[in-house]
Amino acid sequence: MIGILVNIYLARTMGAEYYGEVSYAIAFVAFFDAVNLLGLNQIVVRELSQSQNNKKFILDVTISLRLISAFLSFFLSVFFAFALGKNLLAIVIVSCGLIFSLGNVCDLFFQSEIKSKYTVIAKIIAYVFSAFFKVFIIWYGGSVSFYLIAVPLEMMTISFILIYLLYRKYKLVFTINFPKFKNDSYYLEILRESLPLMMSNLAVVTFMRSGVMAVEYFLGSRAVGLYSVGANLAEMIFFVPGIIVTSFSPILANLSKNNKERYFLLYQRLMFVFWWGSFISILFYGSLLYYLIPFLYGADFSLSKYIFIVHLLSFLPVCMGCCQTIWVINEKKPNIILIQTIVGALLALILNIYFVQSMGVIGAPIAILIAQIVQSFIVNYFFCKDLFVFTFRSLLWR
């Protein structure tokens, strides 16, 4: 709700072009954040959930790898921004958030302990603080670059609070030990498993943000503003399946190791909830916002309601894709996710280039929707029949 209110204020005060410049800088850096995460998150949660005595060691390995990847991602982001001649200062500011987000490793520990409430506390505090900062900048007519300082500021606040809570509640402190890969087999083992997931994350960002890139390239910043209003409002509920998966992943990881029958039963019921929960969410959330967008944002953004409703339809395949990740992780078949997302990313890029040129800004969410459906359902039919059958059997409660 805070995000919606701040975005409405930004869009109405500064207009579609200003909003488009902000959205483009954030979308650009999102590509490099996928590299920064290294695909470690769900693997580390699984390892922490199944480990009793090595939690400190696993956290130290994770923070050491993430420190290397954060600086590498920062320099890659700045280099490509400079090479492409884009808004370099704005992208440098947003890229600082990659380094300041290191404290999010604490979140993986809290997930494994089913204590995500601590992460929620940290993020709410940081988000409210960031929202006030954004409003202050808009109120005084600040530039895009000043507005974007809120991104690393929010990341830094979250990290500080999470590190403090990890020490306060569990007396854990990070130790950074840069790996000697020839001797440290665990570093190599965890990277080998996470590499397909990192590639998958990069592909996910590619097809989720390729719409912004295509719209900016072919239609300009104002069109990016119109697209981003609709897409951002639709994605306001895209965090829900992630939260549910976060809560259930450690439980299902334990069951997959100790009680397979119970594991498959609980997982099937979780997928059933994802199916029908996404249908209901699209119906009610879509109906409400479709009519409110022109009223909230003004007549200049009336086209955004069509972008919103098409993009919201992607919520169904997004939900199913999130839920399928649990099976892939627990069965240790990360290549399935890699195949899914590479196919989806390539299809999204091709369709965005074609649809945006032929249909205008509405072509971008249509391209994303088609790519999501192919990724979450059709690819499984050819590469993982078991997961394909299980997914559609879960339409019925058992």
Side-chain angles (χ1 to χ4, degrees):
M1 291 304 299
I2 292 172
I4 291 173
L5 292 174
V6 171
N7 286 338
I8 290 170
Y9 184 53
L10 171 63
R12 292 184 73 99
T13 305
M14 299 299 182
E17 186 165 353
Y18 185 100
Y19 192 86
E21 290 178 21
V22 169
S23 300
Y24 179 80
I26 294 172
F28 185 91
V29 177
F31 285 93
F32 301 93
D33 190 39
V35 177
N36 176 38
L37 295 175
L38 290 174
L40 288 173
N41 287 7
Q42 288 174 307
I43 293 171
V44 172
V45 171
R46 184 198 68 203
E47 294 289 298
L48 290 168
S49 300
Q50 296 177 350
S51 172
Q52 297 300 322
N53 303 315
N54 295 322
K55 294 182 185 289
K56 174 70 165 60
F57 171 72
I58 294 169
L59 285 174
D60 289 345
V61 168
T62 306
I63 194 69
S64 301
L65 291 173
R66 284 286 307 278
L67 182 64
I68 296 170
S69 68
F71 279 98
L72 176 62
S73 302
F74 173 83
F75 287 116
L76 284 173
S77 176
V78 174
F79 171 78
F80 279 101
F82 178 79
L84 294 171
K86 296 300 180 182
N87 191 338
L88 183 60
L89 179 58
I91 289 172
V92 168
I93 291 169
V94 177
S95 297
C96 289
L98 299 173
I99 298 171
F100 294 138
S101 67
L102 281 170
N104 282 329
V105 172
C106 304
D107 175 39
L108 305 180
F109 177 85
F110 293 136
Q111 288 181 39
S112 71
E113 297 289 316
I114 319 179
K115 297 288 185 182
S116 290
K117 65 180 181 180
Y118 296 128
T119 305
V120 173
I121 291 168
K123 289 188 175 181
I124 287 176
I125 293 171
Y127 199 79
V128 172
F129 176 60
S130 171
F132 278 114
F133 180 84
K134 291 174 181 177
V135 171
F136 177 81
I137 294 298
I138 299 168
W139 180 268
Y140 285 98
S143 67
V144 171
S145 299
F146 277 113
Y147 177 88
L148 288 172
I149 291 174
V151 175
L153 196 61
E154 185 177 338
M155 292 296 102
M156 184 170 60
T157 306
I158 292 171
S159 292
F160 176 80
I161 297 172
L162 287 177
I163 292 169
Y164 170 76
L165 288 173
L166 185 68
Y167 176 74
R168 178 74 180 271
K169 301 295 180 180
Y170 295 93
K171 303 302 178 186
L172 285 173
V173 180
F174 292 126
T175 303
I176 296 172
N177 298 308
F178 290 110
K180 300 174 182 176
F181 291 106
K182 290 183 179 179
N183 302 320
D184 296 319
S185 60
Y186 186 76
Y187 285 90
L188 290 173
E189 180 185 338
I190 200 170
L191 280 175
R192 192 178 298 115
E193 188 177 354
S194 70
L195 183 60
L197 295 175
M198 184 193 75
M199 298 298 294
S200 170
N201 290 341
L202 186 58
V204 167
V205 174
T206 298
F207 75 70
M208 289 303 291
R209 300 303 173 206
S210 60
V212 173
M213 299 301 168
V215 169
E216 200 276 342
Y217 184 80
F218 292 112
L219 304 175
S221 294
R222 186 177 186 281
V224 172
L226 296 174
Y227 172 78
S228 296
V229 163
N232 290 345
L233 283 173
E235 291 173 12
M236 283 287 178
I237 63 169
F238 280 29
F239 74 94
V240 174
I243 287 178
I244 297 172
V245 166
T246 295
S247 299
F248 275 87
S249 288
I251 299 169
L252 289 166
N254 276 323
L255 287 175
S256 70
K257 188 177 181 181
N258 302 314
N259 189 336
K260 281 288 186 182
E261 184 178 349
R262 179 67 179 163
Y263 162 69
F264 283 115
L265 177 63
L266 180 60
Y267 181 45
Q268 186 274 330
R269 290 179 175 177
L270 178 64
M271 193 168 276
F272 173 88
V273 171
F274 271 67
W275 269 114
W276 295 103
S278 59
F279 279 127
I280 294 169
S281 299
I282 290 169
L283 180 63
F284 285 97
Y285 184 63
S287 300
L288 177 64
L289 267 295
Y290 178 80
Y291 292 104
L292 283 178
I293 286 173
F295 171 74
L296 293 174
Y297 285 86
D300 286 347
F301 290 89
S302 58
L303 181 61
S304 297
K305 68 179 183 179
Y306 302 109
I307 296 162
F308 163 76
I309 206 67
V310 175
H311 199 67
L312 184 62
L313 294 174
S314 298
F315 185 59
L316 173 60
V318 165
C319 283
M320 302 318 299
C322 282
C323 200
Q324 289 169 0
T325 303
I326 295 176
W327 185 90
V328 171
I329 294 296
N330 289 325
E331 298 299 318
K332 297 188 177 181
K333 295 183 178 180
N335 287 333
I336 300 300
I337 294 181
L338 181 60
I339 294 169
Q340 284 181 329
T341 48
I342 286 177
V343 170
L346 290 174
L347 186 60
L349 281 172
I350 295 167
L351 291 178
N352 265 305
I353 292 170
Y354 177 74
F355 285 168
V356 170
Q357 290 184 86
S358 60
M359 303 171 64
V361 69
I362 194 66
I366 294 173
I368 300 299
L369 175 60
I370 294 171
Q372 287 278 14
I373 291 170
V374 170
Q375 175 194 307
S376 297
F377 301 116
I378 298 175
V379 169
N380 290 343
Y381 179 81
F382 294 100
F383 294 98
C384 191
K385 275 280 180 66
D386 291 345
L387 184 56
F388 177 83
V389 172
F390 191 90
T391 299
F392 283 95
R393 283 181 59 193
S394 299
L395 276 163
L396 301 176
W397 182 266
R398 295 180 189 275

